[in-house]
Amino acid sequence: MSYEPLLLVPGLASLLVGGDVVVRGASTLARTLGISPLVVGLTVVAFGTSMPELAVNLTATWEGNSSLAFGNIVGSNLANIGLVVGMTALLRPIPLDRTIVIRELPMMLLATSAAWVMGSDFVAGRLPASYDRADGILLLLFFTVFLYYTVREVHRQRVNHLLAGTESYTHEERGGSVNRSLMLIGAGLAGLVLGSEWTVKGGVALARGLAVPEEVIGLSVVAIGTSLPELAAGLVASARGHMDLAVGNVVGSNVFNLLVVLGACSLVHPVPVPPGGAGDLLVLAVFSGLLMVVALSYSRRILRIEGAGLLLLYLGYLTTRTLLS
């Protein structure tokens, strides 16, 4: 009997502890710098929790398992919307900051649309469809635009904070607090990555034992496993009332996955769109559009019933996709 399924218990424990530490560090960092938790969620937390996707997919692409990389990227983004947002909203309705509705969600939708168009080579008669190095460069360039607007928002909030005269730290105190916050975030992210790695190992071993296709493993087991950091951080943030941090983490992570992870993998080696991949991209675009529609309703709040709807749609699609493969 393999020992790998036994890693699930310490893996889940590591995810919970890591999520709590990340949220504590992120909320302290936002308070110290005078910026919103949303911005910290969009950047530090989102990019940090997306490191498992980057590591898994670069390794898979380098070793020639590009179908696993594609399934993991698309599947992880689907899990972020259906699983993470769905379960977080079930725990507590999610109020949405105006910035997330008018800028960040449209950017995520734009990134998803760009990935969909680039992965639809078959429309132009170019088969097999794939993401080549030119696509990778474009995706990374799109990310620099996202990063520019995010950094500009950080600067704007910081200036407003200083002009308001609400700075309560000396230069030395602020530097020490920032360092402590970053150390907490780093330690928490390490726990999240370790926990997701243990969970993925167990899940992949079981799936391969059942002869599940590689792209389905990437779309389901590995995708959910590498989304566990976002789920853990989102649930802990929701429980502590830091809803902006939870939403920012999902949006930033999805943007990072599509523009940086897929872009970087395409530079290493062209990433082919596997059979059924075009449908997965279309479903991801639909889920992103649904999240945008939900965000615009009910005074910018994601209600429990809407979270339940996203979760059920995700589980339904995942079950159908697995059975048809």
Side-chain angles (χ1 to χ4, degrees), residues 25 52 66 70 83 86 119 134 140 146 156 187 194 201 211 228 233 257 261 276 293 310 312-313:
S66 297
F70 174 89
L83 182 66
L140 291 172
F146 171 80
R156 184 189 67 80
L194 183 62
K201 279 186 177 180
L228 285 176
N257 287 343
V261 180
V293 171
L310 288 172
L312 288 174
L313 284 173

Side-chain angles (χ1 to χ4, degrees), residues 72-82 227 253-255 257-258 284:
N72 179 231
I73 292 168
V74 176
S76 181
N77 278 24
L78 280 168
N80 282 345
I81 297 174
S227 289
S253 179
N254 276 20
V255 172
N257 287 343
L258 288 172
L284 177 58

Side-chain angles (χ1 to χ4, degrees), residues 53-113:
E53 282 92 340
L54 182 61
V56 166
N57 289 300
L58 280 178
T59 301
T61 303
W62 185 264
E63 294 177 352
N65 296 323
S66 297
S67 60
L68 180 62
F70 174 89
N72 179 231
I73 292 168
V74 176
S76 181
N77 278 24
L78 280 168
N80 282 345
I81 297 174
L83 182 66
V84 179
V85 174
M87 291 190 66
T88 302
L90 278 176
L91 182 62
R92 178 181 296 181
I94 305 174
L96 298 174
D97 185 90
R98 181 174 178 271
T99 303
I100 202 81
V101 175
I102 66 172
R103 191 182 66 205
E104 309 306 341
L105 279 175
M107 283 190 176
M108 185 189 77
L109 194 56
L110 180 61
T112 304
S113 300

Side-chain angles (χ1 to χ4, degrees), residues 12-85:
L12 290 173
S14 181
L15 284 167
L16 290 175
V17 173
D20 182 66
V21 174
V22 164
V23 170
R24 287 176 183 271
S27 59
T28 302
L29 180 65
R31 187 168 57 251
T32 302
L33 295 178
I35 58 178
S36 70
L38 171 63
V39 173
V40 179
L42 281 167
T43 53
V44 179
V45 178
F47 300 165
T49 55
S50 290
M51 286 304 154
E53 282 92 340
L54 182 61
V56 166
N57 289 300
L58 280 178
T59 301
T61 303
W62 185 264
E63 294 177 352
N65 296 323
S66 297
S67 60
L68 180 62
F70 174 89
N72 179 231
I73 292 168
V74 176
S76 181
N77 278 24
L78 280 168
N80 282 345
I81 297 174
L83 182 66
V84 179
V85 174

Side-chain angles (χ1 to χ4, degrees), residues 220-284:
S220 55
V221 179
V222 179
I224 293 175
T226 52
S227 289
L228 285 176
E230 286 88 349
L231 179 60
L235 292 178
V236 172
S238 177
R240 292 185 173 276
H242 301 297
M243 307 306 293
D244 282 350
L245 184 61
V247 176
N249 180 24
V250 167
V251 175
S253 179
N254 276 20
V255 172
F256 188 89
N257 287 343
L258 288 172
L259 301 185
V260 176
V261 180
L262 183 56
C265 289
S266 301
L267 287 180
V268 172
H269 188 276
V271 177
V273 178
D280 296 328
L281 286 169
L282 178 59
V283 170
L284 177 58

